[in-house]
Amino acid sequence: MNTGFFAQPNPPYRRANYNFAYQWIEEVGSLAALLAHVEALRAADPAHRYLCTLDDIQQGSYTSGHASQDDRLYLDSPPDMDWDDPAQEAAWDLQALQHRARQLREAQGPQRWADVCGSLAVSASDIDALLAANRAPDLLLDDVVYIQRLPLAEGDPLIAGQPNGYFSADWDSFQNHAIHQHLAEQHGYQLLAMGAAWMALARVQPPGAAQAQALVEDLRALYAQGNEALLAHAGWQALPALLQMQRTLVLGYTEDMADRWE
């Protein structure tokens, strides 16, 4: 695992739309190793929150930039803003982050869990991809992973630091936040990484048998509600045992999950 910091002179990577990019990592190796690294950062610096990239870092930057333009998230910059002044730009980035967190936290409507369930166009091959991705989550990691160091309060939505869900057929930032919130409250999973098509969450310990089964029942509702064939997909039977072996959970949030897995 090779690491470096964006604060160093002439870093080899651009921050792009990851405004709070703090560290880059090459050759992460596994999602479990990334989780351990992030947990060490959190333990050493409890005043900040940490969020990673996952699959396709460049596409994730592109869609995140557009997702941030959502009228519900976007904040106009001051008319006298001097974009050549790093201090002003840093202050503006913080203000925009806090605005997105507040909007996500306070918004009402389709971000509620019940309204998100069954709202993504999903096929049997997508459920196959969901199972395959949780069987081999390391394959989702891009060659380089960015870690953002976010000055967010514990109760703030972590996705505010990397909003995603840009295309109209995908779950948007508010729907993704509803998923994160439900999985945190009901199953103990916290957001770890947002990618261009997939997101990763993690809990303190792998779930037990009953916990894993309850989680899968919620995932069935999330992806297959209203579709009897998808609710009966054999993959749901295999998923609980798989999740009991790991602390992480990966979920697709785009209409083409299977294509984005391949």
Side-chain angles (χ1 to χ4, degrees):
M1 184 184 295
N2 302 322
T3 66
F5 295 92
F6 283 92
Q8 71 185 40
N10 303 314
Y13 301 105
R14 294 175 53 251
R15 279 193 170 91
N17 287 315
Y18 307 109
N19 292 335
F20 291 86
Y22 169 70
Q23 189 177 55
W24 50 264
I25 305 178
E26 299 171 332
E27 302 174 10
V28 176
S30 69
L31 191 60
L34 179 62
L35 173 59
H37 183 79
V38 170
E39 288 179 330
L41 291 174
R42 290 172 180 160
D45 179 25
H48 290 88
R49 313 272 300 285
Y50 289 86
L51 179 62
C52 305
T53 60
L54 189 61
D55 59 290
D56 201 339
I57 191 170
Q58 297 301 326
Q59 179 69 7
S61 172
Y62 171 81
T63 51
S64 183
H66 281 286
S68 299
Q69 302 294 312
D70 185 314
D71 289 342
R72 297 168 294 175
L73 294 176
Y74 183 70
L75 184 66
D76 284 324
S77 59
D80 58 349
M81 178 77 180
D82 182 358
W83 293 102
D84 293 323
D85 183 346
Q88 285 193 43
E89 186 171 358
W92 171 246
D93 286 341
L94 176 59
Q95 188 176 352
L97 172 68
Q98 292 171 337
H99 173 77
R100 291 194 299 270
R102 183 168 56 253
Q103 291 295 99
L104 286 160
R105 190 174 60 245
E106 296 178 355
Q108 300 296 318
Q111 83 282 0
R112 294 191 299 265
W113 167 262
D115 293 330
V116 179
C117 288
S119 62
L120 187 69
V122 176
S123 67
S125 61
D126 292 321
I127 305 302
D128 291 336
L130 181 68
L131 183 64
N134 279 283
R135 184 175 287 123
D138 302 345
L139 296 179
L140 288 173
L141 290 165
D142 208 342
D143 293 338
V144 178
V145 171
Y146 287 9
I147 300 178
Q148 294 202 86
R149 183 173 181 258
L150 300 167
L152 287 171
E154 191 62 34
D156 284 333
L158 198 54
I159 194 177
Q162 197 175 315
N164 228 321
Y166 163 57
F167 296 109
S168 60
D170 303 339
W171 282 324
D172 64 23
S173 299
F174 289 83
Q175 292 168 312
N176 282 330
H177 167 52
I179 295 167
H180 303 159
Q181 187 174 42
H182 180 86
L183 294 179
E185 293 174 352
Q186 300 300 318
H187 304 288
Y189 284 88
Q190 301 293 332
L191 181 62
L192 169 67
M194 283 296 299
W198 295 83
M199 49 195 178
L201 302 94
R203 69 195 315 271
V204 175
Q205 297 290 339
Q211 292 170 320
Q213 187 60 51
L215 170 61
V216 171
E217 289 305 312
D218 267 352
L219 296 181
R220 286 178 73 232
L222 179 64
Y223 285 106
Q225 182 171 284
N227 187 318
E228 291 302 320
L230 291 183
L231 285 170
H233 192 286
W236 301 122
Q237 303 303 315
L239 193 54
L242 177 61
L243 295 177
Q244 291 176 65
M245 300 170 60
Q246 58 198 38
R247 296 171 56 197
T248 56
L249 169 69
V250 294
L251 303 174
Y253 66 89
T254 66
E255 67 169 338
D256 54 356
M257 285 166 52
D259 294 340
R260 302 295 285 276
W261 166 246
E262 297 171 355

